[in-house]
């Protein structure tokens, strides 16, 4: 039997209306809330998959190093695809990120989006099969969003999620400047942190209750291309998620002093009339989202803050796509 190979590229995404928390009904990694994200062109994951009859189990090389800690999630995703394709072949997976891994830059989202599409192609499955989103979600709750480019929504529907593009990268161009404040991995994974928040934060119920209103409002400001409205809403939703994180027991304190300095600076820029807002995920990096004309200034000023190691800048990215195997 021959080796079946394929490769794909995906970009991480950053949520403007966040997902934090999982449904507690025993379902496979279903988010407790809907979310809305933008896909980031500047960061890139490239994943190669080879289903090989000689393998006894799945193997993963992440940035050139064997990643046994990912084995369970990887095999769960591949099992779901093997069930659809009717095969028991095991796979060798090689994935590379051109940005810090596991440090609040959504490497698991781009990683599992690229893995799902490459593995599906290697098995001869249809790229547009709606089940691919469900498979990517087994690996990371935010991974289905990286299947698409531009502005993307992820909605809960019964025991499934439905993901779709709302605006293409050119419908409402934005630039994203990432202020990298550490290259280190985070201490507590999103997956563990979410469970702890659900079980212990007194603010978790309020987070769930107020979330549909944030999603509705976001769709309306997107429709109107209302940058100021989106800025207020995205910052509010981000800070609300961090209020839940901070009030989790033990607390999830993902920010560093540099994170906070960036947030104050971005708020001041907006007060001065610069169209920019912030968002922060489960790590100390800050993402500044701005209209493209403001990106030079935003990047220059964030890069000049004490503690900012470097900045990464780019526009809205495309969805996942296949690349030649020997590229
Ligand atoms: O997809 P996960 O399990 O890594 O969780 C992502 C959680 C946040 O990045 C904090 C929020 C989000 O919606 O992306």
């Amino acid at each position: 039997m021959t080796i079946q190979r394929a490769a794909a590229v995906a970009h991480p995404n950053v949520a403007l209306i966040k997902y934090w928390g999982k449904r507690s009904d025993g379902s496979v990694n279903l988010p407790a809330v809907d979310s809305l994200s933008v896909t980031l062109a500047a960061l890139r994951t490239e994943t190669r998959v080879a289903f090989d009859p000689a393998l006894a189990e799945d193997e993963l090389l992440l940035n050139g190093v064997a990643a046994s800690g990912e084995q369970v999630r990887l095999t769960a995703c591949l099992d779901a695809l093997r069930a659809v394709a009717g095969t028991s072949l095991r796979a060798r997976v090689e994935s590379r990120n051109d940005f810090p891994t596991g440090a609040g830059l959504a490497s698991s989202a781009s990683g599992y989006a690229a893995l799902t599409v490459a593995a599906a192609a290697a098995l001869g499955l249809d790229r547009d099969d709606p089940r691919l989103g469900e498979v990517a979600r087994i690996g990371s709750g935010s991974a289905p969003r990286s299947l698409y480019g531009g502005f993307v929504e992820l909605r809960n529907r019964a025991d499934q999620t439905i993901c779709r593009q709302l605006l293409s990268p050119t419908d409402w161009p934005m630039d994203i400047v990432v202020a990298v404040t550490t290259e280190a991995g985070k201490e507590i994974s999103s997956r563990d942190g979410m469970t702890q928040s659900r079980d212990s934060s007194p603010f978790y119920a309020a987070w769930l209750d107020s979330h549909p209103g944030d999603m509705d409002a976001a769709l309306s400001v997107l429709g109107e291309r209302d940058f100021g409205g989106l800025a207020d809403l995205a910052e509010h939703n981000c800070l609300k998620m961090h209020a839940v994180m901070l009030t989790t027991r033990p607390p999830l304190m993902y920010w560093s002093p540099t994170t906070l300095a960036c947030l104050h600076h971005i708020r001041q820029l907006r007060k001065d009339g610069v169209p920019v807002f912030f968002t922060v995920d489960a790590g100390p990096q800050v993402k500044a989202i701005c209209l493209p004309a403001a990106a030079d200034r935003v990047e220059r000023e964030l890069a000049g803050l004490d503690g900012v190691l470097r900045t990464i800048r780019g526009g809205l990215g495309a969805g996942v796509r296949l690349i030649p195997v020997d590229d």
Side-chain angles (χ1 to χ4, degrees), residues 15-20 33-37 151-155 166 203-223 226 228-244 277 279:
L16 306 184
I17 304 297
K18 308 283 191 192
Y19 137 60
W20 190 254
V33 290
D34 299 341
S35 54
L36 182 143
S37 61
F151 286 83
V152 179
E153 73 168 357
L154 182 65
R155 295 274 188 182
L166 294 172
F203 296 169
Y204 187 72
W207 164 251
L208 297 187
D209 285 351
S210 60
H211 208 276
D214 289 357
M215 275 301 283
D216 289 349
L219 291 195
S220 135
V221 297
L222 270 196
D226 170 5
L230 185 61
D232 286 347
L233 201 54
E235 289 186 353
H236 166 70
N237 186 267
C238 166
L239 294 174
K240 199 160 52 178
M241 178 183 76
H242 283 274
V244 172
F277 64 88
T279 193

Side-chain angles (χ1 to χ4, degrees), residues 45-66:
T45 298
E46 213 172 283
T47 301
R48 291 179 157 66
V49 179
F51 286 91
D52 184 342
L55 291 175
E57 53 183 68
D58 298 318
E59 293 174 0
L60 172 64
L61 271 187
L62 183 55
N63 299 321
V65 178

